Amino acid sequence: MSSSLVDSPSPGPETGFAPPEGAGQNHYTVTPKTGSNGSMDGDVLEISMGPQHPSTHGVFRMDVVLDGETVIKLKPVFGYLHRNHEQIAEGTSYLGSMPYTDRLDYFCSLTNNWAYAIAVEKLAGLQPPERAEYIRIITAELTRLQNHTCLAGFMLMDMGALGTPLMYAFREREKILDLFESLTGARMMCNYMRFGGCRVDLPAGWLDQTKRVVENYPRFLNEFENLLSSNEIVMARTQGVGRLTKELAINASITGPMARASGVDYDLRKVDNYGIYDRFEFRVPLGDHGDCYDRYMIRILEMRESLKILDQALKDIPAGPVMDPKAKLRAFKPKAGEAYGRIEAPKGELGFYLISDGSASPYRYRVRPPSLINLTVLEDMCLGQTVADVVVILGSVDIVLGEVDR
Amino acid sequence: MLGTGIIKGMAETARNFLGSYTSEDRLPTVQYPEEKIPAKENARSFPFLVHDRNDAEMGLRCVACLICEKECPPQCIYIVKDTIKKPDHTGKLQNHPKIFDIDISVCMSCQICVEVCPFDAIKMDTAFEFSTTDRFGALLLHKDQLAKSNEHYQKIHPTEAAEVDARLTGETAKAEAKAKADVEAKAKAAVEAKAKAAAASATTPANV
């Protein structure tokens, strides 16, 4: 991603890598210093991080050009996990792509389901009943909780805290995945939402179990914050690292916690009011600096807001059906037209764009993946930082390669 | 003071470490192969075919309608119809699958086959230990491996199975009642026809 709109950290004149005239800020011509006998000094080191590097969150590669320890160029290379998601969806029925959406961002299958369901519901004119909307919000906020918990763990692991924070995070996540399993049948590949509602109603006792998990969650968050938020090593490694300016965040259409950490007040739950989010009281936390610490902190604060939404939703959930009576499972053919359904997924704005030609499968199916678009500013955040910081910055972006590559 | 944050964190890890001896909340893991967490009631792994009457061949509820084969997103089901027919729970003669294969190395456990099946013939199992040294053959399950009894279904998904059983029993009762009514109607019709014929034979000579 190159942008001439903002100042990005300059490598300085002494490195010998000045940007060429007329090129954007982030393009550097590599002119290696040569010795007196014409041999290269070997100052510039080009390394390939990935595709199997443990900190790349999947099969993802970064071509990094280093001057000493400083990053002067970074090129993300992805596509290793490409599995033709959009083309497959254009060849299968509308219902048939629902389980494939689970595999986009495999941490948050329920929010992926929801975004796709919203797009198809707009296309077919279906309206989910009240109880289904509440179930959707409860599952989506639980998804947000477990995604952000894991992210904090992974980010700390990228910093070198091997194990402890991640294991604590996974322990809590497992309690939420247990809820998902008893509701949908699967821990991660839930395949739960349907066009016009949800597949099954809540099992007996599920709401009480959820209430218990939600009640105990703040205790875990306090512990987690005690462990990390004021830790001097964490602060030294994250504060001022990988700064993303507000202007660049807006220009590069960054969404989600990453944009909010840079101070962009944009949360689809407030802006778009999809579902019934306008009935709930919650705040949108915003960051000041746009560095890695803010991105970590935003997620912790968002989890506390999610708990507020969950408290209200679990109290207010009405009885009733969970499926629109007009919805049908087989031979589902929405009328010709187009629709764009979007939600605030834990990673950012997740959108599904569909064009229907009146047949049983979509004519065009396009995903707007938040991970991929948030990844485009990776170079801008990494320039001028050390190679060890690249790993932390990548961790703070929160990518899942299933969604980046599709 | 520099270092207080680290000390606070250390206190937290100590609390978690010591707590893991007393609190179930802090040590949720089990020693897997020796000890297993029981499957949740809604849990799903791979599909199986339900059969009744302890007859894994002709008791199959599957009528080879091919709907699941068509709807399966990764297309892991393969069905061939048989020429023989078998009675279903209402006594009606239905088709029978000659071949019913599911390639569980392709199956993604999405449960769509279960949702679209109009005959309650295919359901999700909870068994998950399928590892094998044979990469292709052993993971291609045939009809005889897939067929499991209704009692098995009642055991793994009790609530759902009770609903299905109630519905099927209702249909059977209805079909039986209808059959009985049919028989009665037929008998009545026969009696009436006989009476008419008798009446006709009684009246005819008088007219002649």
Side-chain angles (χ1 to χ4, degrees):
Chain A
M1 165 80 217
S2 93
S3 167
S4 53
L5 289 158
V6 288
D7 295 325
S8 51
S10 160
E14 71 277 10
T15 55
F17 308 106
E21 287 295 314
Q25 282 276 337
N26 304 322
H27 288 273
Y28 297 88
T29 322
V30 179
T31 48
K33 291 176 198 160
T34 46
S36 52
N37 56 357
S39 66
M40 293 223 296
D41 241 3
D43 273 2
V44 177
L45 184 65
E46 188 175 343
I47 59 165
S48 169
M49 291 177 73
Q52 296 294 342
H53 194 277
S55 79
T56 54
H57 295 246
V59 272
F60 171 65
R61 190 159 70 92
M62 291 175 281
D63 274 339
V64 193
V65 181
L66 298 173
D67 172 33
E69 256 198 296
T70 314
V71 177
I72 54 174
K73 194 167 181 239
L74 185 142
K75 195 176 130 215
V77 182
F78 37 76
Y80 291 94
L81 208 61
H82 180 62
R83 25 186 222 290
N84 229 340
H85 176 75
E86 291 174 2
Q87 188 69 48
I88 288 175
E90 283 161 21
T92 182
S93 64
Y94 282 89
L95 174 64
S97 344
M98 186 59 95
Y100 286 115
T101 61
D102 291 338
R103 281 131 179 106
L104 281 174
D105 171 359
Y106 38 78
F107 277 102
C108 324
S109 62
L110 282 160
T111 47
N112 297 344
N113 283 179
W114 192 8
Y116 180 52
I118 282 186
V120 178
E121 278 158 12
K122 275 188 185 169
L123 205 57
L126 297 169
Q127 179 60 44
E130 184 105 342
R131 185 175 174 84
E133 293 277 25
Y134 270 91
I135 295 176
R136 286 177 175 195
I137 282 186
I138 291 169
T139 51
E141 293 305 323
L142 286 173
T143 306
R144 199 180 314 279
L145 276 183
Q146 58 108 345
N147 179 72
H148 287 355
T149 311
C150 281
L151 169 96
F154 279 127
M155 193 174 149
L156 267 290
M157 197 171 77
D158 290 344
M159 265 176 244
L162 285 175
T164 309
L166 184 65
M167 285 303 125
Y168 291 176
F170 266 43
R171 185 188 65 200
E172 295 308 309
R173 169 182 182 244
E174 203 58 37
K175 289 172 189 161
I176 294 177
L177 292 189
D178 277 349
L179 292 176
F180 287 171
E181 190 178 4
S182 58
L183 171 61
T184 70
R187 290 166 66 246
M188 291 173 78
M189 302 298 146
C190 296
N191 185 21
Y192 177 62
M193 313 273 178
R194 289 289 175 268
F195 317 131
C198 301
R199 182 162 56 79
V200 288
D201 202 354
L202 303 175
W206 193 84
L207 282 175
D208 293 331
Q209 286 171 30
T210 314
K211 267 179 202 152
R212 219 167 307 137
V213 169
V214 169
E215 271 164 22
N216 288 332
Y217 222 81
R219 197 193 68 173
F220 161 71
L221 280 182
N222 294 341
E223 282 186 15
F224 210 55
E225 280 215 83
N226 275 345
L227 183 64
L228 303 171
S229 295
S230 57
N231 188 307
E232 284 82 2
I233 303 172
V234 173
M235 294 208 271
R237 287 299 304 277
T238 52
Q239 285 183 345
V241 171
R243 205 161 266 184
L244 176 70
T245 57
K246 193 174 176 178
E247 290 77 18
L248 181 58
I250 293 171
N251 285 334
S253 65
I254 305 300
T255 48
M258 219 175 131
R260 292 194 283 278
S262 298
V264 185
D265 188 3
Y266 184 72
D267 187 324
L268 280 178
R269 289 176 292 175
K270 290 280 189 198
V271 175
D272 205 31
N273 269 337
Y274 62 94
I276 48 167
Y277 269 113
D278 46 352
R279 294 187 200 175
F280 300 102
E281 238 174 75
F282 65 101
R283 292 184 306 164
V284 178
L286 292 179
D288 265 344
H289 308 92
D291 57 2
C292 286
Y293 189 79
D294 273 16
R295 265 171 249 145
Y296 157 77
M297 210 58 212
I298 280 284
R299 269 131 183 161
I300 299 281
L301 294 173
E302 262 185 27
M303 280 196 265
R304 296 195 187 275
E305 296 303 315
S306 285
L307 288 171
K308 272 190 210 163
I309 300 177
L310 278 170
D311 270 341
Q312 299 168 43
L314 288 170
K315 209 164 56 202
D316 299 347
I317 182 165
V322 292
M323 267 307 255
D324 186 342
K326 277 190 293 176
K328 56 179 186 173
L329 208 55
R330 290 181 52 225
F332 176 77
K333 287 181 185 170
K335 58 184 186 300
E338 59 177 3
Y340 181 64
R342 57 178 188 173
I343 66 162
E344 179 74 29
K347 293 181 168 64
E349 175 185 339
L350 173 68
F352 282 83
Y353 176 61
L354 298 168
I355 302 181
S356 161
D357 56 358
S359 67
S361 50
Y363 173 76
R364 180 76 178 100
Y365 173 104
R366 157 96 181 122
V367 189
R368 183 224 189 263
S371 294
L372 171 69
I373 291 165
N374 290 354
L375 193 61
T376 51
V377 286
L378 185 64
E379 183 179 21
D380 301 76
M381 291 193 288
C382 289
L383 288 180
Q385 312 281 344
T386 62
V387 67
D389 289 338
V390 170
V391 173
V392 183
I393 294 167
L394 181 70
S396 74
V397 175
D398 191 10
I399 56 163
V400 159
L401 266 292
E403 191 174 61
V404 173
D405 295 339
R406 300 195 301 296
Chain B
M1 196 186 83
L2 192 72
T4 42
I6 295 177
I7 292 165
K8 227 160 88 183
M10 293 284 197
E12 210 51 64
T13 45
R15 187 186 304 167
N16 271 284
F17 172 66
L18 297 173
S20 69
Y21 285 97
T22 55
S23 158
E24 194 107 319
D25 250 15
R26 293 190 199 271
L27 190 70
T29 51
V30 297
Q31 298 293 324
Y32 161 60
E34 291 86 31
E35 196 185 336
K36 285 177 190 171
I37 296 174
K40 302 261 185 319
E41 197 187 321
N42 273 342
R44 61 174 198 254
S45 62
F46 294 107
F48 71 96
L49 296 173
V50 188
H51 69 74
D52 296 315
R53 310 189 292 265
N54 279 331
D55 181 357
E57 178 60 35
M58 295 315 281
L60 281 182
R61 287 182 190 168
C62 176
V63 300
C65 65
L66 310 185
I67 289 174
C68 55
E69 188 188 29
K70 213 188 299 170
E71 294 285 335
C72 176
Q75 299 176 3
C76 66
I77 304 179
Y78 176 69
I79 307 172
V80 174
K81 266 187 202 174
D82 206 342
T83 47
I84 56 166
K85 297 207 171 207
K86 51 136 194 259
D88 67 358
H89 63 283
T90 59
K92 202 170 137 201
L93 279 184
Q94 297 275 17
N95 282 320
H96 185 70
K98 188 178 185 184
I99 300 174
F100 195 115
D101 290 350
I102 294 180
D103 189 347
I104 61 164
S105 64
V106 175
C107 174
M108 59 180 183
S109 311
C110 65
Q111 209 178 10
I112 282 181
C113 51
V114 177
E115 281 169 61
V116 298
C117 181
F119 300 94
D120 291 304
I122 188 164
K123 295 289 169 195
M124 294 310 266
D125 208 345
T126 51
F128 56 90
E129 286 152 325
F130 284 96
S131 58
T132 164
T133 49
D134 180 7
R135 189 169 154 198
F136 298 105
L139 291 175
L140 181 69
L141 299 187
H142 301 295
K143 196 170 64 176
D144 50 331
Q145 290 157 290
L146 288 169
K148 286 180 185 163
S149 66
N150 195 27
E151 285 72 45
H152 175 75
Y153 178 44
Q154 285 160 350
K155 209 174 87 195
I156 56 175
H157 302 302
T159 318
E160 204 186 293
E163 269 170 39
V164 170
D165 283 346
R167 190 164 66 236
L168 292 185
T169 322
E171 279 173 23
T172 313
K174 222 166 157 191
E176 271 169 8
K178 191 162 174 278
K180 211 173 151 194
D182 278 355
V183 168
E184 273 170 12
K186 221 180 246 172
K188 208 173 159 193
V191 168
E192 271 173 13
K194 215 173 171 184
K196 217 173 173 186
S201 63
T203 50
T204 315
N207 285 343
V208 169

